[in-house]
Amino acid sequence: MKIRTRLIILFTVLTIVILSLFATVIFQSAKKSREREYYDLLKKEALTKANLFFNARVEKQTLQQIYRNNRKTLNEVEVAVYDTAFVLLYHDALDIDFVKEDHRMIRDIYSKGQIQFFQQGWQVVGLSYDFDGRRYAITAAGYDQYGYNKSDSLLVSIFLVFGVSILFIVVAGIFFSRKAFEPVADMISKAKSISVSNLDMRLPGNGSKDELADLAGTFNEMLDRLESSFDAQKRFVSNISHELRTPLSTIITELELSADNGLTEQQYTAAIRNALNDSRRLARLANSLLDFAKASYDPSEITFKPVRIDELLLDARQQLQKADPTYKVDIHFEGDFENDEEISVNGNLYLLKVAFANLFENGCKFSDERQSSVSVSFGKDITLHFSDHGIGIAPDDLPSIFTPFYRGQNGSFADGNGIGLSLTQKIVGLHKGTISVTSTPNLGTTFTVMLPAIGPPVNSLLIKL
Ligand code: ADP
């Protein structure tokens, strides 16, 4: 069910409940006050007739005649007078006699002084009346036709107002909810038209600072992020295609040339060597992309366990020197560590080795001496400075070197595909670490990596304290 419909139903039900309560209270209080007023009237009538009968000594027949005459036009009150022995002294009209008095009722009147009750819609009062040292019981009964008519017309008015109000609330609810939800409907139709092909479209703000404007703003921010991530992906794919196409077309050309017989043995060997070099480049690119994909996994899918940084660095150096034995790597530890935890991080062995090997390789390949070094210091974080005395990075390039496929102005100095540093940054980020760079052209470059150490075990901390 739509929120709009739900709101209309909710408000209608709420209004019905409130109006019903209101109407019930009004009707009940009107009913009570009619009853009270009519009992008062009955008492006055009873006393007037008793006074006429006892004090003014008006004839029974005269009083009865007045009653019968009035009865034709008014809802006249029927009065009866009894003495203590339950002897009927006076009755307005015995033939009509609506209230059937009995001993118990008369006793009640004498003991309580006054009683009142309903009898088939008629209201009855009973009063004790003292005259000339003697006590009498008077009963008066009447049907409040006029009051009941007023109650009925009040009830009709209440139902009428009730119905009209509900109708009004429903119509107003539909109208106002449509008005209130108009911007939402606009947003929905606009959002429906946004797809990959027009990710630059944005939701319109309604010019105010309300929740809908907030929602549109948040949605637009999400679209900004999506758009930039789509753009990045498109750039990534086109970069990959480019990186794949260049070595592939060189390989094809080399092989086509070789297919033509008549090359010298030296030319064949050169062609094979060139094709081999390009194939290696392709293999390196494929491996880097594979690592990039792994580093982009959800962290929950990557296995993390305590790994010793010193062992990792030695492994990375070994891996690098296996690929190119001319590379030299120095590893230096600043200070001693007291336990394994101080030199260990919670990490993925494979990915961290890839990151370190990249930094070693860059240091070696961008320096004439083909040498790089790392110095490691321990603390809350393990800090690694990867330095070289190579050609350095141009200041203009520094902000971009972590962008995938970006190669600096010094790119021609060494082979590469521009993935290494972006992959390294991803891996360090995955381990909740940071990477930064400082470089001076022609003097050298230092990459600083900080990784959170597992830290000393709790009991050794306690001993220190
Ligand atoms: P690649 O090394 O394959 O070009 P990277 O992502 O590893 O790609 O590095 C990106 C760029 O950063 C390099 O092309 C180079 O311009 C610059 N760079 C990285 N490390 C160094 C370094 N140690 N010395 C000089 N330039 C570097």
Side-chain angles (χ1 to χ4, degrees):
M1 193 190 281
K2 288 188 172 176
I3 298 181
R4 237 187 83 197
T5 325
R6 242 184 336 207
L7 277 180
I8 294 171
I9 293 178
L10 190 81
F11 272 102
T12 313
V13 170
L14 219 72
T15 316
I16 290 178
V17 171
I18 293 172
L19 278 182
S20 307
L21 274 172
F22 194 61
T24 314
V25 169
I26 287 190
F27 185 72
Q28 285 302 328
S29 75
K31 193 174 149 202
K32 285 275 169 246
S33 96
R34 186 208 61 74
E35 273 175 33
R36 239 188 348 264
E37 279 171 17
Y38 199 64
Y39 278 130
D40 287 349
L41 184 96
L42 287 180
K43 279 178 218 160
K44 278 184 199 144
E45 280 281 327
L47 289 174
T48 312
K49 277 221 173 123
N51 286 338
L52 287 173
F53 182 71
F54 288 110
N55 288 324
R57 299 194 184 281
V58 178
E59 282 294 311
K60 264 189 201 174
Q61 286 78 5
T62 316
L63 286 174
Q64 282 165 345
Q65 195 55 46
I66 295 170
Y67 171 76
R68 280 181 195 284
N69 286 344
N70 282 353
R71 220 175 161 258
K72 288 176 195 150
T73 49
L74 298 168
N75 290 309
E76 186 56 0
V77 178
E78 183 190 280
V79 177
V81 181
Y82 291 85
D83 68 5
T84 40
F86 193 43
V87 175
L88 180 64
L89 302 179
Y90 170 78
H91 200 294
D92 272 334
L94 264 176
D95 52 328
I96 300 168
D97 189 23
F98 184 78
V99 186
K100 302 280 180 261
E101 291 86 354
D102 54 18
H103 278 286
R104 233 187 67 208
M105 195 193 294
I106 301 300
R107 258 203 317 277
D108 256 11
I109 292 172
Y110 283 128
S111 62
K112 292 181 183 154
Q114 183 179 318
I115 59 169
Q116 58 188 43
F117 57 91
F118 266 88
Q119 201 173 73
Q120 293 165 19
W122 281 54
Q123 277 173 258
V124 184
V125 292
L127 299 170
S128 78
Y129 182 84
D130 294 327
F131 178 74
D132 221 4
R134 298 187 65 179
R135 179 157 279 197
Y136 301 92
I138 312 164
T139 63
Y143 183 79
D144 186 11
Q145 187 60 58
Y146 176 68
Y148 281 127
N149 287 349
K150 263 177 43 183
S151 289
D152 288 348
S153 78
L154 177 69
L155 202 64
V156 171
S157 308
I158 283 175
F159 272 115
L160 218 71
V161 171
F162 191 83
V164 171
S165 306
I166 298 301
L167 206 74
F168 179 76
I169 288 289
V170 172
V171 173
I174 292 173
F175 175 75
F176 284 114
S177 65
R178 185 174 297 159
K179 266 243 140 325
F181 279 89
E182 231 163 49
V184 180
D186 277 359
M187 279 164 75
I188 291 172
S189 76
K190 197 78 184 210
K192 271 183 185 163
S193 66
I194 298 175
S195 65
V196 186
S197 57
N198 57 358
L199 259 184
D200 55 329
M201 257 171 84
R202 294 290 176 269
L203 295 187
N206 57 2
S208 56
K209 285 191 182 302
D210 58 12
E211 289 85 347
L212 286 180
D214 270 0
L215 182 66
T218 314
F219 195 81
N220 286 342
E221 281 166 20
M222 186 191 79
L223 284 175
D224 287 345
R225 288 195 298 275
L226 269 181
E227 192 185 5
S228 65
S229 115
F230 258 75
D231 285 348
Q233 261 187 26
K234 270 195 265 177
R235 269 199 310 278
F236 198 77
V237 171
S238 88
N239 280 328
I240 292 176
S241 318
H242 180 77
E243 288 294 322
L244 285 176
R245 209 176 46 194
T246 316
L248 270 178
S249 44
T250 336
I251 293 171
I252 290 168
T253 318
E254 295 286 349
L255 292 180
E256 275 171 354
L257 278 176
S258 317
D260 291 340
N261 291 330
L263 290 188
T264 62
E265 201 184 316
Q266 275 165 335
Q267 283 172 320
Y268 273 127
T269 319
I272 291 173
R273 201 160 281 142
N274 287 342
L276 203 63
N277 277 342
D278 284 326
S279 306
R280 282 197 183 116
R281 252 178 87 185
L282 277 179
R284 267 205 307 275
L285 178 66
N287 284 338
S288 300
L289 288 175
L290 207 67
D291 291 339
F292 202 88
K294 278 184 195 152
S296 308
Y297 285 170
D298 184 341
S300 62
E301 289 177 37
I302 298 174
T303 328
F304 287 89
K305 60 178 190 184
V307 277
R308 281 182 62 129
I309 290 293
D310 52 346
E311 287 174 8
L312 255 175
L313 289 168
L314 290 171
D315 279 359
R317 174 168 73 178
Q318 199 183 21
Q319 180 183 311
L320 185 76
Q321 285 175 336
K322 212 165 130 197
D324 190 332
T326 61
Y327 288 162
K328 294 183 280 293
V329 174
D330 279 343
I331 301 175
H332 170 70
F333 295 98
E334 288 174 16
D336 285 332
F337 51 92
E338 288 175 10
N339 48 52
D340 283 359
E341 280 78 11
E342 269 183 84
I343 199 172
S344 299
V345 296
N346 195 26
N348 181 279
L349 191 97
Y350 175 78
L351 290 176
L352 281 177
K353 199 155 70 173
V354 168
F356 293 166
N358 267 332
L359 292 169
F360 281 151
E361 189 188 358
N362 277 355
C364 293
K365 79 180 179 186
F366 284 107
S367 56
D368 286 326
E369 51 191 14
R370 306 178 81 68
Q371 183 165 4
S372 93
S373 65
V374 62
S375 74
V376 190
S377 54
F378 317 103
K380 205 162 125 314
D381 290 322
I382 298 174
T383 309
L384 303 109
H385 296 286
F386 294 86
S387 323
D388 63 71
H389 301 294
I391 56 168
I393 305 171
D396 295 354
D397 284 334
L398 279 177
S400 313
I401 53 168
F402 293 102
T403 310
F405 294 106
Y406 185 86
R407 302 209 71 218
Q409 294 158 34
N410 57 13
S412 55
F413 190 86
D415 232 16
N417 48 37
I419 292 187
L421 277 185
S422 57
L423 172 61
T424 303
Q425 190 189 42
K426 227 179 195 5
I427 294 173
V428 171
L430 205 65
H431 289 80
K432 300 190 174 66
T434 56
I435 179 166
S436 56
V437 58
T438 54
S439 182
T440 314
N442 300 321
L443 276 183
T445 305
T446 301
F447 285 94
T448 304
V449 174
M450 287 174 84
L451 292 168
I454 292 180
V458 180
N459 49 3
S460 84
L461 265 178
L462 286 176
I463 291 165
K464 270 188 192 168
L465 279 172

